[in-house]
Amino acid sequence: MLLTLRLENFVIVDAAELDFGPGFTVLSGETGAGKSILVDALALATGARADAGVVREGCARADIGAEFRSDAALDAWLAERDLQGDPGSVWLRRLVDADGRSRALVNGHPATAALLREIGERLLDAHGQHASQSLLRADGQRLLLDGYAGLAQPARAVAEAFAAWRTLERELDAAERGGRELALERERLEWQAGELAQLRLQPGEWEALAAEQKRLAHAAALIEGAGGAADALDESDDALAARLARIVQRLRPLAAIDDALGEALALLESASIQVDEAASALRGYAGRVDLDPERLAEVEVRIGTIFSAARKFRLAPESLAAELARLEERLASLRAAQDVEALRARVGAARVAFEQLAGELSRARRRAAVRLASGVSAHLGTLGMAGGRLEIVCEPAAPAASGIDAIEFRVAAHPGATPRALAKVASGGELSRIGLAIAAVAAQANPVPTLVFDEADAGVGGAVADAVGALMRGLGDDRQVLCVTHLPQVAAKAHQHWRVTKESRDGRTVSRIEPLDRAARVEEIARMLGGAGITATTRKHAREMLAQA
């Protein structure tokens, strides 16, 4: 459930914080006041695409935040992704800069817009004012049916299987038409891979050889330098170790007289020990370094061989092992592609896999179509289409990424009428009512706790508007429903009512959002009934509507 929506510098809203409750909430106001801005803000908070146009003119950034109540499953899901916040709630935030760049946060943690969308799908289901238009499109009808039936994942699996099948078909076609070209490429790559394979180059070998060559080439200098340094520390006539020992011996009785010399004496004693250890380490190093001209010659020959191959292939020496792996991978692909019979078998297996998944999806769609059509038809009578009914036809179609079905919504607007395609028979008002009926039925199957309707009741009025309000209030009995509306019949049925107004402040237009008490609701519904000229009659009518609700 949506708990709080915070807006700052968003379109014509300078700052607002709205606290929402359960049940059915409406937002009303005059045209252009910014009612749909709140719906747009929710869309951004749940991952919609952002652009600079949402930033209030003259401001550097828009800030949109939405707090939702979460459940244990969502809390666990967030914790798995290190996005956890306070148990039982989740904060989604979107920052949009004036240059169009945006950032997303979940409980204060950086996130992607895609992740916001994934979370938003668990929390909110929005029906826009143009949603009914998608009912006129075949793809819109199919997506609506899949969404109602919870078939989004099986539909994606079918699309992936179709893509895999088609990719293999293209490879088979290329193998059958371009066998000669593939053979030439295979011959060239086999020669290159053979050249590199002869090197038997191991990962990291080039770096190890370079380090060893450097050490062997300078072995004499290293031995001489380390031995000379050791002698200077403890073997020469003026060795540092002996000089330090004399200094320590001189200071020790003095430190017994004055404790202030104790720190300096301790440091010198430590230095004396470290000089002895350094001398020992240098002698040990000099003893380990080998003067091995034969090994140096071997290393230099190996380096020359590798460098020659790198020059031939125009690559860095350290990249040769990766290049061999790439060539072998491509060769394996070419060998498989040239094995036409094996490729035909893979195409057949991919087609069978697609047909199996598509068949399962088709059967699930047909079962869901019956349930959805029956539920919608039951609602149409209460929405002013008595005797009207919806049929959802699933007919066989050529294989495609969407499956093997052609989905068509057909409606009979009157008793006895033959159902026909929506685009041919439904008026704008009828489309709105059918869309609302579908949303109501889908909501019963969808566990999303918040439903948002942005003027989805457009094109209806009178008794039908009253029925729409009753339908939304009924949906609000077991979940949160937010609705932007111009209809007083719908507004009167709400549990909570917010009004959006527009005013001029310091030469700029500002949108103001406020919750309404009983008296203010009467005034607002009276305005919705009678326009600017509110009379005692419209107020009386408004009070009656609220009392009946």
Side-chain angles (χ1 to χ4, degrees):
M1 184 180 87
L2 176 65
L3 301 176
T4 303
L5 179 64
R6 292 179 185 170
L7 308 177
E8 183 178 340
N9 301 324
F10 183 68
V11 193
I12 59 173
V13 177
D14 54 357
E17 181 169 335
L18 289 71
D19 294 322
F20 292 91
F24 176 32
T25 299
V26 296
L27 298 98
S28 66
E30 294 182 354
T31 300
K35 301 182 298 300
S36 293
I37 286 176
L38 301 179
V39 178
D40 295 338
L42 275 176
L44 273 175
T46 52
R49 184 176 179 180
D51 64 69
V54 304
V55 182
R56 181 172 165 77
E57 188 174 350
C59 298
R61 173 187 293 166
D63 189 341
I64 306 98
E67 181 186 15
F68 290 86
R69 180 176 295 151
S70 64
D71 56 20
L74 180 56
D75 285 344
W77 187 89
L78 292 169
E80 288 174 1
R81 291 155 180 80
D82 294 326
L83 297 172
Q84 62 269 35
D86 293 333
S89 72
V90 55
W91 261 105
L92 307 182
R93 190 177 176 200
R94 197 78 178 275
L95 303 171
V96 184
D97 293 335
D99 60 5
R101 290 180 297 179
S102 72
R103 288 189 296 129
L105 300 168
V106 177
N107 289 325
H109 305 285
T112 63
L115 193 59
L116 282 189
R117 283 194 297 274
E118 192 170 353
I119 298 171
E121 289 172 358
R122 296 167 173 257
L123 298 169
L124 181 144
D125 187 14
H127 302 267
Q129 54 184 305
H130 303 299
S132 60
Q133 297 304 312
S134 66
L135 290 171
L136 301 179
R137 304 193 313 270
D139 61 334
Q141 294 174 4
R142 185 189 68 253
L143 290 173
L144 196 153
L145 177 61
D146 286 350
Y148 161 77
L151 296 174
Q153 179 54 44
R156 280 194 293 270
V158 166
E160 291 167 1
F162 181 79
W165 172 30
R166 285 291 186 249
T167 297
L168 287 171
E169 281 194 326
R170 287 192 294 271
E171 289 182 7
L172 175 60
D173 182 62
E176 291 175 338
R177 290 186 295 103
R180 176 59 181 165
E181 289 79 2
L182 291 176
L184 289 173
E185 182 183 2
R186 177 179 170 181
E187 183 179 336
R188 176 177 60 82
L189 294 180
E190 283 177 339
W191 174 80
Q192 292 177 337
E195 286 273 308
L196 290 178
Q198 287 179 3
L199 285 176
R200 297 187 298 280
L201 188 63
Q202 302 300 313
E205 182 183 354
W206 171 259
E207 292 82 358
L209 284 169
E212 186 179 6
Q213 188 272 342
K214 185 176 181 181
R215 186 174 62 254
L216 289 170
H218 296 85
L222 291 171
I223 293 171
E224 181 182 354
D231 288 344
L233 290 176
D234 67 355
E235 289 291 337
S236 66
D237 293 339
D238 194 28
L240 181 58
R243 290 168 62 193
L244 276 173
R246 288 194 295 272
I247 294 171
V248 168
Q249 193 171 22
R250 185 181 303 169
L251 277 178
R252 190 170 284 134
L254 297 176
I257 298 171
D258 188 349
D259 291 343
L261 292 172
E263 181 180 357
L265 177 62
L267 290 171
L268 288 167
E269 287 175 338
S270 175
S272 179
I273 293 170
Q274 291 179 15
V275 165
D276 289 341
E277 291 177 351
S280 176
L282 287 168
R283 284 202 171 81
Y285 172 80
R288 289 193 304 273
V289 176
D290 292 331
L291 282 171
D292 190 347
E294 292 182 1
R295 175 57 184 164
L296 176 60
E298 291 175 4
V299 169
E300 289 181 339
V301 169
R302 179 64 170 162
I303 287 176
T305 302
I306 294 172
F307 193 78
S308 176
R311 189 168 57 247
K312 182 184 295 185
F313 283 87
R314 298 182 182 179
L315 293 171
E318 59 269 22
S319 300
L320 291 176
E323 176 67 7
L324 176 58
R326 187 193 69 80
L327 291 172
E328 289 175 340
E329 182 179 354
R330 176 58 180 160
L331 277 169
S333 175
L334 287 175
R335 292 182 185 115
Q338 284 190 286
D339 190 345
V340 175
E341 289 305 317
L343 196 51
R344 285 197 184 103
R346 293 175 63 200
V347 169
R351 177 169 184 165
V352 168
F354 165 77
E355 290 175 343
Q356 181 176 348
L357 291 172
E360 293 171 358
L361 176 62
S362 179
R363 289 187 289 274
R365 281 171 171 167
R366 291 170 191 272
R367 291 192 297 269
V370 174
R371 297 196 306 272
L372 179 58
S374 175
V376 170
S377 298
H379 277 292
L380 291 181
T382 64
L383 295 174
M385 294 178 66
R389 70 184 190 281
L390 178 72
E391 286 188 2
I392 302 177
V393 179
C394 302
E395 295 182 334
S402 58
I404 54 173
D405 304 298
I407 310 295
E408 185 177 60
F409 284 24
R410 299 175 184 174
V411 66
H414 309 287
T418 300
R420 298 176 62 193
L422 281 178
K424 296 180 180 179
V425 297
S427 65
E430 287 170 337
L431 276 177
S432 293
R433 283 175 273 175
I434 294 168
L436 282 170
I438 290 173
V441 175
Q444 295 168 358
N446 191 343
V448 173
T450 298
L451 300 175
V452 180
F453 294 92
D454 183 12
E455 297 187 28
D457 52 9
V460 300
V464 175
D466 193 67
V468 169
L471 185 150
M472 291 192 178
R473 187 178 178 97
L475 289 174
D477 286 341
D478 60 359
R479 70 190 64 207
Q480 186 183 48
V481 178
L482 309 179
C483 176
V484 174
T485 186
H486 286 288
L487 298 178
Q489 298 94 327
V490 173
K493 296 287 194 301
H495 297 102
Q496 297 92 30
H497 191 155
W498 290 76
R499 177 173 59 202
V500 185
T501 57
K502 186 170 61 174
E503 59 186 40
S504 181
R505 188 186 302 164
D506 298 328
R508 296 201 300 177
T509 299
V510 177
S511 185
R512 186 160 154 264
I513 309 158
E514 58 183 344
L516 302 182
D517 58 18
R518 179 77 177 188
R521 287 190 74 182
V522 169
E523 291 297 306
E524 176 63 5
I525 292 174
R527 181 198 65 78
M528 298 171 78
L529 284 166
I534 300 176
T535 65
T537 301
T538 54
R539 288 191 179 94
K540 179 182 178 182
H541 190 185
R543 282 191 289 269
E544 290 174 349
M545 292 177 71
L546 285 168
Q548 291 172 359

